[in-house]
Amino acid sequence: MNARLLPYMLILPVTLFLCLFFLYPFVLVAKQAFTTGAGFTLDNFREVVSYWKFPISLKNTLLLAAAVVPIQLALSLLMATMVTRMEKGRDLVLYVWTIPLGISDLAAGLIWLAIFEQSGFLNSMMHGMGIVDKPANLLTFQNPGLVFVAIALAEIWRATAIMLVILVAGIGLIPKEYYEAAEVFGASPWKRFVRITLPMLRPSLQTALVLRVIMAFEVFAVVAALGGTLFPVLMGETYAYQFDLLNSGAAAAMALVILAISIAATLVILRALRVPKGATI
Amino acid sequence: MAEIQIKNVAKKFGAYQALHDINLTIADQEFMVLLGASGCGKTTLLRIICGLETATEGEVWIGGRRVDHLAPKDRGIAMVFQNYAVFPHLTVFENIGFGLRMQKLPDDEVRRRVERVASLMHIEMLLKRYSGELSGGQRQRVAVARALAMEPDVILMDEPLSNLDALLRMEMRAELKGVLAESKTTAVYVTHDQVEAMSMADRISVMHQGEIVQAASPIEVYRNPAAEFVASFIGNPPMNFLRAEAAGDGKWSVAGNVIDGPRYGKSPLQFAIRPEDMQPAGDGLEAKVKIVEPLGAHLLVTCEVNGTLFRAVLDSDMEVKRGDMLTLAPQTDRVRWFDPETTLAVA
Ligand SMILES: Nc1ncnc2c1ncn2[C@@H]1O[C@H](COP(=O)(O)OP(=O)(O)OP(=O)(O)O)[C@@H](O)[C@H]1O
Ligand SMILES: [Mg+2]
């Protein structure tokens, strides 16, 4: 076998699989988005973008991502550094911290609903301690801030671990001698983190951020469980077009809008965290 | 002024004793080489001086100051790591300037110092590159330049030339020695290459199983090994040993010959002689030739004396072949004696 062709032959099965089950459906969705009965058109896009709920759901989605992702980044970096420093029980801690990963996002939303709703833990506790007179539903249209906080909390709780595992693996790849060299040459622990860990972690940070940001733009079940219609997001609107309004053309257009935002964010992240040629470990 | 004093230092890793009661004084501006086989504790000792490892017992003093409770950065040292540890995400310039930046020196001072050591190490044209774009030898120079830029009192080097090819190693050896002598730095240099040790050191500390067996000048270590281990470790090929039985009144019987030796209460002793300190003669040790290896300048002859393996380095004009019988006369002032019980040299 020709050695130059061999790699391509080896990835052929995967490529075929991807084409069949990802590319083909994607083309179908795109076709749906760009056609009505009468051939090519942008009507579907015009329709979804001009709908009154579009700006607010776009704003909500971006706002949620902007609030949640940086907190998760900081948290996962902190947790990863702590786990890496541990000598004993490190695996156990990592397992416990990653448990939320194994819970579906709807279930996660319901767990947090159980905390915040009228007869939930939070109300019972506050009532029991005499902070409030009687249990009240906290997640109402009168408390938009609290709805947002609840959703953000649930998202942070649910999806920080995915970044954590990527960063723990990444930190594990940084040779110990770089830290020793930095220490000998006078870098404090914080300087070592900023000057060694962060820059050498860029490939892992890219992966973690891209994954997390894309997930953030697709947020749906947690919002549905906690906010219902109080907090419209892009994915929720897509769902509504498809299953409530039975307008699959508009749903497809929404899906493509989300895809475009995701691609744009991915490009920004890759660009911002790129490693110059020759500067890899 | 930076004299290093290591006082009663011991190190345990769990139950394993890596260093036993090390005592060593390294003079200001001295070039001290720690030499020993793999696993004897050289790196551990260096890391204790550096502060990356804490001694289980003992004290480390640098420049008259006790430092074993200080962080590495407060000890006035710089280190060249065994596998360079040149930061891959920084340019050569930023690598060399790393320690200076940590000291918050002004930009122009950093630039001045980086450029000075870069030209000293002949890497001024590489300053904009990343370490991924350097050869092993260039990375090596960057690691040394980074240490020199600190203008430290003490520079610690852990097998810095071990990854280079033979030619480059020889070049770097001379260069490094010159640069360090000029900068008036005290140097501790770890290696397991005895040629490197002999050629660079002011003094060599020979280490064996976590102890310093001998600390002396290269020629002293070579000529007057303090213990059998040193005699068999230094020199290529190493010293020859033969069993010597007391024959009374300072005379010893070695393979049927009676040789003058020390007056010593115990018998037997080990008779030791370097392969190049013997001449074929009418009278001496009877040696049966096993292997003849022409090395150009010399002839390395492996023989058997009294059933013991024995090597001699002879003139390359000699006509010797396998199976010949040689009579080798040891040069009397080069003969050394060891007590097989203590393995130490007998004067
Ligand atoms: N962190 C550690 N934990 C346990 N044992 C260790 C540790 N570091 C070193 N040792 C042991 O201590 C002994 C001395 O190790 P050291 O690294 O000092 O050897 P060395 O002389 O530098 O060897 P080499 O020439 O191979 O680098 C070895 O037997 C090693 O296994
Ligand atoms: Mg070592």
Side-chain angles (χ1 to χ4, degrees):
Chain A
M1 167 90 43
N2 189 329
R4 272 190 25 221
L5 285 180
L6 185 63
Y8 298 98
M9 298 298 293
L10 291 176
I11 62 167
L12 192 65
V14 181
T15 315
L16 283 178
F17 179 87
L18 283 174
C19 288
L20 199 60
F21 293 103
F22 291 94
L23 207 58
Y24 179 62
F26 174 76
V27 170
L28 285 188
V29 169
K31 205 171 125 206
Q32 231 169 20
F34 284 107
T35 52
T36 51
F40 179 84
T41 173
L42 289 176
D43 282 356
N44 284 323
F45 288 92
R46 262 180 227 122
E47 181 183 341
V48 298
V49 171
S50 58
Y51 185 48
W52 68 270
K53 263 181 148 180
F54 181 81
I56 175 159
S57 49
L58 178 65
K59 190 187 103 193
N60 283 343
T61 306
L62 294 181
L63 210 61
L64 192 61
V68 166
V69 175
I71 294 177
Q72 288 191 317
L73 178 63
L75 264 180
S76 56
L77 274 171
L78 180 70
M79 288 156 84
T81 318
M82 277 160 45
V83 169
T84 312
R85 288 281 182 85
M86 289 177 72
E87 278 167 15
K88 288 208 186 87
R90 174 196 147 122
D91 288 350
L92 183 69
V93 170
L94 210 53
Y95 284 135
V96 171
W97 279 353
T98 46
I99 284 174
L101 265 189
I103 295 171
S104 84
D105 47 354
L106 183 59
L110 295 176
I111 289 172
W112 284 83
L113 187 62
I115 295 175
F116 281 104
E117 71 183 344
Q118 186 149 14
S119 54
F121 302 132
L122 189 61
N123 264 312
S124 317
M125 207 171 74
M126 291 201 298
H127 182 57
M129 296 187 346
I131 299 170
V132 291
D133 301 337
K134 63 180 173 62
N137 191 359
L138 300 166
L139 302 176
T140 65
F141 69 94
Q142 285 137 328
N143 289 332
L146 200 59
V147 172
F148 183 83
V149 167
I151 293 172
L153 272 177
E155 275 291 284
I156 289 167
W157 177 82
R158 181 179 74 83
T160 303
I162 184 77
M163 300 181 80
L164 174 68
V165 282
I166 295 171
L167 295 184
V168 167
I171 289 180
L173 286 179
I174 302 176
K176 205 177 88 208
E177 71 211 28
Y178 292 127
Y179 291 103
E180 292 185 340
E183 186 182 351
V184 169
F185 287 99
S188 61
W190 171 248
K191 278 272 194 259
R192 271 174 261 160
F193 177 73
V194 175
R195 301 285 311 256
I196 308 292
T197 309
L198 280 186
M200 297 191 71
L201 205 54
R202 276 179 294 187
S204 307
L205 283 173
Q206 277 181 342
T207 312
L209 273 176
V210 166
L211 263 179
R212 186 59 196 95
V213 166
I214 290 177
M215 272 170 69
F217 293 143
E218 290 169 352
V219 65
F220 173 57
V222 170
V223 175
L226 287 169
T229 52
L230 296 175
F231 194 81
V233 288
L234 290 175
M235 211 53 175
E237 292 315 292
T238 312
Y239 180 90
Y241 276 120
Q242 179 74 32
F243 295 105
D244 301 339
L245 307 171
L246 301 180
N247 184 347
S248 51
M254 276 300 271
L256 288 189
V257 168
I258 296 173
L259 178 66
I261 296 174
S262 298
I263 290 176
T266 303
L267 291 179
V268 169
I269 292 168
L270 292 183
R271 172 91 191 149
L273 292 173
R274 80 184 183 291
V275 179
K277 196 172 150 290
T280 42
I281 301 174
Chain B
M1 281 296 287
E3 180 191 70
I4 305 172
Q5 281 175 295
I6 297 157
K7 299 182 183 171
N8 305 96
V9 162
K11 176 70 187 179
K12 273 188 175 171
F13 291 110
Y16 179 75
Q17 183 102 32
L19 292 177
H20 305 262
D21 195 33
I22 301 274
N23 282 288
L24 186 65
T25 301
I26 302 166
D28 182 39
Q29 298 185 29
E30 187 172 30
F31 195 112
M32 172 63 90
V33 170
L34 301 181
L35 176 66
S38 195
C40 69
K42 308 181 294 290
T43 298
T44 306
L45 182 55
L46 201 68
R47 289 168 62 88
I48 287 173
I49 300 175
C50 175
L52 289 170
E53 205 85 69
T54 328
T56 317
E57 275 169 50
E59 301 172 7
V60 179
W61 294 65
I62 296 177
R65 204 164 50 115
R66 185 168 173 187
V67 296
D68 43 81
H69 55 279
L70 297 181
K73 69 177 167 66
D74 300 322
R75 297 185 178 201
I77 49 145
M79 178 136 162
V80 180
F81 287 80
Q82 185 155 2
N83 6 27
Y84 317 142
V86 170
F87 303 121
H89 59 287
L90 299 178
T91 59
V92 168
F93 184 99
E94 286 304 327
N95 259 289
I96 299 176
F98 188 88
L100 309 177
R101 296 256 190 246
M102 291 301 126
Q103 293 177 350
K104 299 205 164 60
L105 293 186
D107 271 351
D108 50 345
E109 172 72 2
V110 172
R111 174 159 298 280
R112 196 183 61 73
R113 284 221 226 166
V114 170
E115 279 168 0
R116 196 181 65 81
V117 294
S119 79
L120 213 58
M121 297 307 298
H122 308 295
I123 48 173
E124 58 270 60
M125 63 294 178
L126 304 176
L127 288 175
K128 288 200 179 68
R129 294 216 203 154
Y130 288 101
S131 88
E133 302 164 317
L134 301 178
S135 74
Q138 291 168 331
R139 228 170 284 174
Q140 171 59 51
R141 286 158 197 263
V142 174
V144 175
R146 178 174 63 183
L148 288 176
M150 301 293 286
E151 297 177 4
D153 302 325
V154 175
I155 191 162
L156 307 170
M157 289 174 276
D158 194 354
E159 309 205 21
L161 306 185
S162 57
N163 293 345
L164 306 183
D165 68 56
L167 201 66
L168 195 55
R169 182 146 54 179
M170 214 152 74
E171 232 174 82
M172 282 292 296
R173 217 151 66 192
E175 235 170 81
L176 207 53
K177 171 121 187 156
V179 166
L180 285 171
E182 201 162 314
S183 63
K184 302 201 189 318
T185 316
T186 309
V188 186
Y189 186 105
V190 165
T191 182
H192 57 237
D193 178 344
Q194 48 164 306
V195 180
E196 208 166 283
M198 298 292 279
S199 69
M200 298 179 87
D202 293 330
R203 267 196 312 152
I204 299 179
S205 295
V206 183
M207 293 184 68
H208 182 49
Q209 295 180 347
E211 292 182 72
I212 292 183
V213 188
Q214 185 173 16
S217 71
I219 197 68
E220 177 75 8
V221 167
Y222 188 80
R223 284 282 166 237
N224 299 314
E228 265 187 63
F229 171 77
V230 182
S232 57
F233 187 74
I234 305 257
N236 186 22
M239 262 183 148
N240 295 300
F241 296 98
L242 289 173
R243 191 184 156 92
E245 301 284 352
D249 198 25
K251 303 246 182 262
W252 297 83
S253 157
V254 181
N257 289 264
V258 175
I259 297 177
D260 283 337
R263 291 174 192 280
Y264 198 65
K266 274 187 286 180
S267 176
L269 285 184
Q270 289 273 46
F271 159 94
I273 183 83
R274 291 222 171 263
E276 67 272 24
D277 294 337
M278 279 173 299
Q279 290 298 326
D283 192 28
L285 304 164
E286 297 287 319
K288 183 160 197 255
V289 176
K290 291 276 181 198
I291 306 167
V292 179
E293 295 166 82
L295 299 178
H298 306 286
L299 209 58
L300 175 58
V301 184
T302 306
C303 356
E304 214 179 77
V305 174
N306 227 5
T308 311
L309 213 61
F310 199 86
R311 291 195 188 85
V313 172
L314 303 179
D315 197 284
S316 53
D317 291 341
M318 291 267 306
E319 302 238 345
V320 190
K321 58 182 191 305
R322 186 183 151 83
D324 284 357
M325 288 303 291
L326 287 175
T327 309
L328 297 169
Q331 200 178 319
T332 42
D333 61 325
R334 295 281 167 86
V335 174
R336 297 293 175 265
W337 303 87
F338 296 95
D339 183 335
E341 269 169 38
T342 60
T343 80
L344 297 180
V346 174

